[in-house]
Amino acid sequence: MSAALHATLQDIGPVLALILFGFLPNEVWRLVGLMLVHGLDEKSQIIVWVRAVATAMLAGVLAQLILSTSGPLASIPVSVRIGASVLGFAAFLIGKRSVFAGVLTGEAAILLGTYFLGT
Amino acid sequence: MKNPMSVEPADPPAHVAFQVFLDGIVAAVRSVFFYVLIGNYVGMGALAHEVGFSFWWMALSTVLIWAAPAQVILVSTLSTAALFEVALAVTLSSVRFLPMVAAILPTMRRPGVRQRDLILPMHLTAISVWVEGMRLLPLMPVERRIAFYNGLGTGLMSGAVIGGAVGFVLAAKLPPLLSAALLFFTPMAILMSSARNSRTLLDGLAFALGLVVGPVVAAQKIGLDLMWTGLIAGTMAYGVHRLREARRKCVS
């Protein structure tokens, strides 16, 4: 770690660092979204397409979280993550499409699987 | 007196708007995402404590950023990486907000809504609020949607702030494996809620294609995985949707 960079964080303080390097780079996408749809209504074909893109991205987030090999989830084996997702989804279908039943079953499977098979 | 022929829905009176806002908070507490966010942010709060940020910094980061992946990056790299690299990693993790905001805000627009009325809904948009908003907003009159969405977002954000606070306080007592398991609430909730919500062919197809295209794009290692996944899978689903619509028009 470079001393100069560390000093920078200390100079500007954690709150200003949060605003400049966390809030602004994150919020810019929301702002662009707001400005791009100015004057468009919900039936327009562009919005229908954008909705499909957003939905596909959401599925991409899901795939990333289940398959990723880095970050805090890495300590849970991928096989346990896939198995828990399948079990959770089965509980969701059996439980008359109850999201609560599915999420709780999947989370229980993750806890047990991690406890017995985790690294 | 109002023109009885007017078709433009008027602003609801202030007390009605407040009641609708409260309805939004109730919907948030009844949503599975409220509990998912608590669990998820318990893990995040523990992480922030471990790295050495303050209790209030953690709460402020949730209110201002309101994006779990960006917050994980910020908390884990702000004190060790170059600040420019932190900002770049955060911004690359947040591209999804563009199409999400662009898809949900038009459902709240009607004549008389100013751009600044949409700033709070814009900021409150996150995966959880978006998924529940896309499901619930079409069920109510358009003039109530902004207040309801603001209540929904505020309620869900409160769950995250509470979870973050609890995690921060409990940090020393949480085994790391439990923190990781708590973060797994998010993919579960995305999977189940999307399966419940996708009522149209377009939604279901976009989601299914995204699940397939996502790992394929990631394997190419070209970067910006989520953006490409969204554009490729979303456009394919939209194309199928348009072909079906065209065929239906030909038949009728």
Side-chain angles (χ1 to χ4, degrees):
Chain A
M1 174 179 19
S2 129
L5 279 171
H6 197 68
T8 313
L9 175 59
Q10 283 177 339
D11 285 345
I12 65 174
V15 171
L16 198 56
L18 165 63
I19 291 168
L20 292 180
F21 304 101
F23 170 68
L24 289 179
N26 180 64
E27 198 74 358
V28 65
W29 296 110
R30 290 187 175 116
L31 260 175
V32 173
L34 171 73
M35 290 188 297
L36 282 184
V37 294
H38 188 67
L40 292 176
D41 82 81
E42 101 188 82
K43 301 280 188 295
S44 83
Q45 284 303 313
I46 294 178
I47 296 302
V48 174
W49 171 73
V50 164
R51 182 181 171 162
V53 171
T55 305
M57 271 186 163
L58 186 62
V61 172
L62 172 64
Q64 252 181 14
L65 287 170
I66 292 182
L67 301 175
S68 73
T69 49
S70 64
L73 279 173
S75 53
I76 306 172
V78 171
S79 56
V80 171
R81 289 184 251 164
I82 294 175
S85 307
V86 171
L87 277 177
F89 198 72
F92 163 79
L93 293 178
I94 294 165
K96 294 175 183 161
R97 303 176 77 79
S98 155
V99 176
F100 273 94
V103 170
L104 283 179
T105 305
E107 191 61 24
I110 268 289
L111 281 170
L112 290 174
T114 311
Y115 185 75
F116 289 111
L117 303 167
T119 47
Chain B
M1 215 181 121
K2 269 195 179 159
N3 177 3
M5 299 298 287
S6 167
V7 289
E8 290 180 10
D11 277 327
H15 68 278
V16 175
F18 185 66
Q19 184 59 49
V20 174
F21 178 84
L22 290 182
D23 290 348
I25 291 185
V26 170
V29 176
R30 290 178 60 187
S31 159
V32 73
F33 276 104
F34 185 78
Y35 307 94
V36 165
L37 284 162
I38 291 178
N40 200 346
Y41 274 79
V42 164
M44 189 98 66
L47 193 64
H49 180 273
E50 202 176 299
V51 179
F53 288 107
S54 76
F55 182 89
W56 294 110
W57 188 93
M58 174 62 214
L60 188 66
S61 88
T62 303
V63 172
L64 284 182
I65 298 178
W66 188 219
Q71 285 176 262
V72 168
I73 292 169
L74 198 66
V75 165
S76 49
T77 65
L78 194 54
S79 56
T80 52
L83 293 179
F84 171 75
E85 285 172 27
V86 175
L88 191 66
V90 165
T91 208
L92 289 178
S93 78
S94 304
V95 183
R96 66 179 182 283
F97 289 136
L98 198 176
M100 286 185 168
V101 166
I104 193 107
L105 290 189
T107 66
M108 302 172 212
R109 185 167 283 128
R110 62 191 164 81
V113 168
R114 292 153 303 185
Q115 193 80 338
R116 69 166 182 268
D117 299 328
L118 295 173
I119 288 179
L120 187 58
M122 169 205 81
H123 178 67
L124 289 171
T125 296
I127 287 178
S128 55
V129 187
W130 188 81
V131 167
E132 294 297 40
M134 293 299 270
R135 177 171 69 95
L136 296 170
L137 290 190
L139 307 177
M140 67 188 59
V142 67
E143 66 273 16
R144 299 196 164 192
R145 291 179 187 170
I146 290 181
F148 183 85
Y149 193 74
N150 286 341
L152 181 69
T154 307
L156 288 171
M157 189 186 267
S158 309
V161 172
I162 293 168
V166 170
F168 194 92
V169 173
L170 289 182
K173 293 177 188 146
L174 278 182
L177 272 183
L178 181 60
S179 306
L182 287 171
L183 293 177
F184 204 73
F185 266 119
T186 304
M188 289 293 166
I190 293 175
L191 174 63
M192 258 60 92
S193 301
S194 303
R196 180 185 56 179
N197 293 2
S198 55
R199 297 197 194 90
T200 63
L201 171 95
L202 180 58
D203 283 346
L205 197 59
F207 196 83
L209 285 170
L211 273 182
V212 177
V213 171
V216 173
V217 169
Q220 310 304 312
K221 302 205 184 301
I222 43 175
L224 293 170
D225 295 357
L226 279 183
M227 191 193 83
W228 291 119
T229 303
L231 286 176
I232 296 169
T235 306
M236 282 164 73
Y238 177 75
V240 172
H241 164 77
R242 284 302 293 265
L243 281 175
R244 255 177 54 119
E245 295 275 289
R247 192 174 301 162
R248 196 179 297 162
K249 273 187 197 125
C250 281
V251 171
S252 61

